Amino acid sequence: MMQPDLQVLVQEIRQIAREEILPRFEHIGFAVKQDGSLLTEADLATNQRIATFLLQQWPDIAFLSEEMEREEQARLLREAEALWCLDPLDGTSNFAAGIPLFAVSLALFQRGEVVLALTYDPVRDEMFTAQRGRGAWLNGQSLRCQPSEFQLCNAVAIVDFKRLSPALKQALMTNPPYGSQRNLGSCVLEWAWMAANRGNLYLHGGMKLWDLAAGSLILAEAGGYAATLQGEPVFVAALAPRSVVISPDPVLFAAWLGYLQAQQ
């Protein structure tokens, strides 16, 4: 199958996000889903516009979204040879609370691996893209992870504490190995920022497929390092949540993963 034209995707996703998400920011309410997460009109409108566009342009590629029922998601992962995976608005709680950290994320799976990825931050007009074997880009400029001047003891870590084990939470809060800690509240942006050398370390205890699919390719093509807490590859074409450990720097990544595994 011929891969979709990345520039056509970039142009349309940027336009949809700017038309459906930005005008609703700080103006639209939200609902609470069964799992406790938030859902806004922007999620639904963006999901519908992108789904319609993808089906019109590439009718042979199946479509999976965060907003679908789990049974349908599982069926698509089992049966589809080529599959879009969309998170129409990651960072919905930020969006609903008026915090300008959220993004659209889209990945293309072929035979169980990510071959094309896009994450778009409409507030900053930052479009992160990647193609397997060809590289990663930010607004068309090549992205390359760089070694850091930081050591683990003074590194800046982006950590989501919510899904970590009690023992690991306690260790990180009482005697952290890093210098300081942040949390953006948008998984797809956190992957993209790591690929752009924004921060030194990253940790998430349980990320969903649509939160990690695009970012895992963007980071890999930028030359960054990622694994689960067990040291396994992060991306698996499955619905079970995956832990995520990242650094753009190989020395920091080894030290960070080693520290985390020693706490288990």
Side-chain angles (χ1 to χ4, degrees):
M1 186 192 86
M2 287 282 291
Q3 271 196 30
D5 187 321
L6 183 57
Q7 294 315 308
V8 171
L9 272 175
V10 162
Q11 183 176 346
E12 189 69 18
I13 299 298
R14 176 181 269 120
Q15 182 175 339
I16 290 171
R18 295 184 75 79
E19 290 176 359
E20 301 295 347
I21 296 175
L22 285 185
R24 292 179 167 95
F25 183 46
E26 299 181 323
H27 298 289
I28 296 291
F30 59 87
V32 181
K33 294 195 282 188
Q34 280 190 325
D35 64 1
S37 60
L38 303 185
L39 179 69
T40 72
E41 188 180 288
D43 293 79
L44 297 174
T46 304
N47 190 79
Q48 184 58 50
R49 281 275 305 271
I50 293 175
T52 300
F53 161 70
L54 294 175
L55 183 62
Q56 288 172 344
Q57 290 288 320
W58 300 284
D60 295 335
I61 302 177
F63 175 79
L64 181 152
S65 168
E66 179 189 9
E67 307 309 334
M68 286 178 169
E69 292 297 325
R70 184 181 175 88
E71 292 75 16
E72 178 65 4
Q73 294 168 342
R75 185 191 68 78
L76 288 166
L77 286 170
R78 283 195 310 272
E79 298 176 4
E81 185 168 312
L83 178 66
W84 295 111
C85 180
L86 174 69
D87 191 334
L89 180 58
D90 183 61
T92 303
S93 56
N94 281 347
F95 180 88
I99 299 169
L101 288 166
F102 46 82
V104 181
S105 193
L106 179 68
L108 175 62
F109 303 166
Q110 284 184 342
R111 291 175 291 278
E113 69 174 14
V114 187
V115 296
L116 195 68
L118 174 160
T119 293
Y120 180 56
D121 175 351
V123 173
R124 292 159 195 79
D125 191 26
E126 289 191 328
M127 179 70 75
F128 299 85
T129 54
Q131 286 183 278
R132 180 168 290 279
R134 297 186 186 180
W137 304 272
L138 169 53
N139 289 347
Q141 300 297 307
S142 181
L143 270 181
R144 290 303 304 169
C145 289
Q146 302 294 334
S148 171
E149 299 295 320
F150 287 76
Q151 297 181 331
L152 188 60
C153 63
N154 57 13
V156 176
I158 299 175
V159 179
D160 187 317
F161 282 94
K162 279 189 299 187
R163 295 167 186 85
L164 301 179
S165 69
L168 186 49
K169 277 184 194 176
Q170 185 69 19
L172 290 171
M173 287 197 272
T174 57
N175 189 24
Y178 42 70
S180 61
Q181 178 263 332
R182 313 279 188 272
N183 178 27
L184 302 186
S186 168
C187 297
V188 304
L189 273 188
E190 288 162 345
W191 278 100
W193 282 28
M194 283 283 113
N197 303 288
R198 299 174 185 174
N200 309 122
L201 312 169
Y202 181 74
L203 174 63
H204 194 290
M207 200 178 287
K208 294 180 178 176
L209 179 64
W210 38 86
D211 296 325
L212 63 85
S216 63
L217 182 64
I218 293 168
L219 182 82
E221 289 294 327
Y225 300 83
T228 66
L229 282 164
Q230 292 71 41
E232 300 167 347
V234 172
F235 178 78
V236 175
L239 294 176
R242 307 280 287 174
S243 58
V244 181
V245 180
I246 302 174
S247 179
D249 180 314
V251 175
L252 281 177
F253 177 73
W256 182 222
L257 184 60
Y259 165 86
L260 293 169
Q261 291 183 331
Q263 307 307 313
Q264 310 243 43

